[in-house]
Amino acid sequence: DTEVTQTPKHLVMGMTNKKSLKCEQHMGHRAMYWYKQKAKKPPELMFVYSYEKLSINESVPSRFSPECPNSSLLNLHLHALQPEDSALYLCASSQEPAGSYNEQFFGPGTRLTVL
Amino acid sequence: AQTVTQSQPEMSVQEAETVTLSCTYDTSESDYYLFWYKQPPSRQMILVIRQEAYKQQNATENRFSVNFQKAAKSFSLKISDSQLGDAAMYFCAYRSPQYGNKLVFGAGTILRVKS
């Protein structure tokens, strides 16, 4: 299984809602990532979990709250988002430690619209 | 900090022809990894090809090959016998061994394939 799955595929939420994005992989990868991607732009790294511990937080606003319940799951909890947070949210995973060929495997993304 | 530059926002190629996408990067490191990722419209990002800086031989994957010029800090992607399915956004990315989990992406090049 060389797949990263993400749910939901699409999400529309109001600025007062609380929602969560889910990411799952069964490749035995111990690094998992959240990226935000605007249209026709490269992905922007948000968070990295290494061995289920948060290792990188790219100064993301606190309205985004990541969680890594186990080595296969990664969640992104959303609360009080702004319309400018509308984007494609990508999850990725890779092997640890960061050896030469630990490519990042990306999920299909969740298309988030904040009204 | 490392930077990656893709100077071609858009490229077009005729089906069955060859196209080259350019990528340059800036780094003071001698050992690093370079990647080309492909992101088709509304589909997930996948790795096309990768290169380790200490390997002089250019990487090749079927119709995809790179021209890695370490001294010039250039990493171009050549697609031979272009197919309609090659139409996508292509991202060049750099990864440092020191910051193993962080990918530095270029701005991307949209490749259009004409039939």
Side-chain angles (χ1 to χ4, degrees):
Chain A
D1 186 0
T2 58
E3 191 179 40
V4 176
T5 59
Q6 291 188 243
T7 54
K9 290 185 179 179
H10 301 275
L11 179 62
V12 179
M13 59 187 291
M15 289 190 284
T16 58
N17 291 157
K18 284 186 181 181
K19 295 287 184 182
S20 296
L21 309 184
K22 180 180 174 181
C23 172
E24 194 165 5
Q25 57 88 15
H26 296 285
M27 293 179 278
H29 291 168
R30 302 305 295 275
M32 296 187 76
Y33 311 75
W34 280 116
Y35 289 89
K36 173 183 178 181
Q37 186 179 26
K38 291 282 198 178
K40 296 186 179 180
K41 297 291 186 182
E44 299 172 34
L45 184 64
M46 300 174 71
F47 304 103
V48 181
Y49 273 83
S50 176
Y51 296 102
E52 295 87 69
K53 293 191 188 309
L54 184 64
S55 62
I56 296 176
N57 177 342
E58 294 288 271
S59 303
V60 179
S62 60
R63 57 185 184 269
F64 295 92
S65 175
E67 178 195 21
C68 190
N70 60 56
S71 59
S72 300
L73 278 175
L74 186 67
N75 298 320
L76 186 62
H77 303 296
L78 315 172
H79 174 55
L81 295 192
Q82 304 296 310
E84 59 265 28
D85 296 323
S86 298
L88 182 68
Y89 287 83
L90 296 171
C91 175
S93 71
S94 70
Q95 293 177 357
E96 279 282 43
S100 60
Y101 282 127
N102 69 328
E103 65 173 282
Q104 291 186 22
F105 289 81
F106 285 83
T110 294
R111 178 76 59 188
L112 174 67
T113 303
V114 182
L115 301 176
Chain B
Q2 295 86 11
T3 58
V4 176
T5 302
Q6 293 179 248
S7 58
Q8 306 152 318
E10 288 193 30
M11 292 283 284
S12 290
V13 63
Q14 200 69 33
E15 203 174 2
E17 296 295 308
T18 296
V19 64
T20 299
L21 309 184
S22 67
C23 172
T24 58
Y25 55 94
D26 187 27
T27 184
S28 58
E29 296 176 316
S30 58
D31 190 22
Y32 46 86
Y33 312 106
L34 296 165
F35 305 86
W36 277 99
Y37 278 90
K38 169 187 176 182
Q39 188 176 34
S42 301
R43 294 180 65 184
Q44 65 197 84
M45 191 174 301
I46 59 172
L47 180 70
V48 174
I49 200 165
R50 57 197 162 201
Q51 176 81 41
E52 296 177 71
Y54 64 84
K55 289 188 176 179
Q56 293 186 337
Q57 187 173 5
N58 289 326
T60 299
E61 289 286 343
N62 300 313
R63 297 183 295 107
F64 299 87
S65 62
V66 298
N67 183 5
F68 173 51
Q69 301 289 328
K70 190 172 184 179
K73 297 180 183 175
S74 171
F75 182 60
S76 60
L77 175 69
K78 186 171 83 171
I79 306 174
S80 304
D81 185 26
S82 296
Q83 300 175 0
L84 294 177
D86 295 333
M89 174 80 95
Y90 287 81
F91 292 103
C92 179
Y94 174 104
R95 183 164 65 79
S96 162
Q98 184 179 2
Y99 305 103
N101 286 327
K102 291 190 72 169
L103 279 175
V104 180
F105 285 97
T109 296
I110 296 172
L111 178 65
R112 305 190 193 282
V113 181
K114 303 175 187 175
S115 58

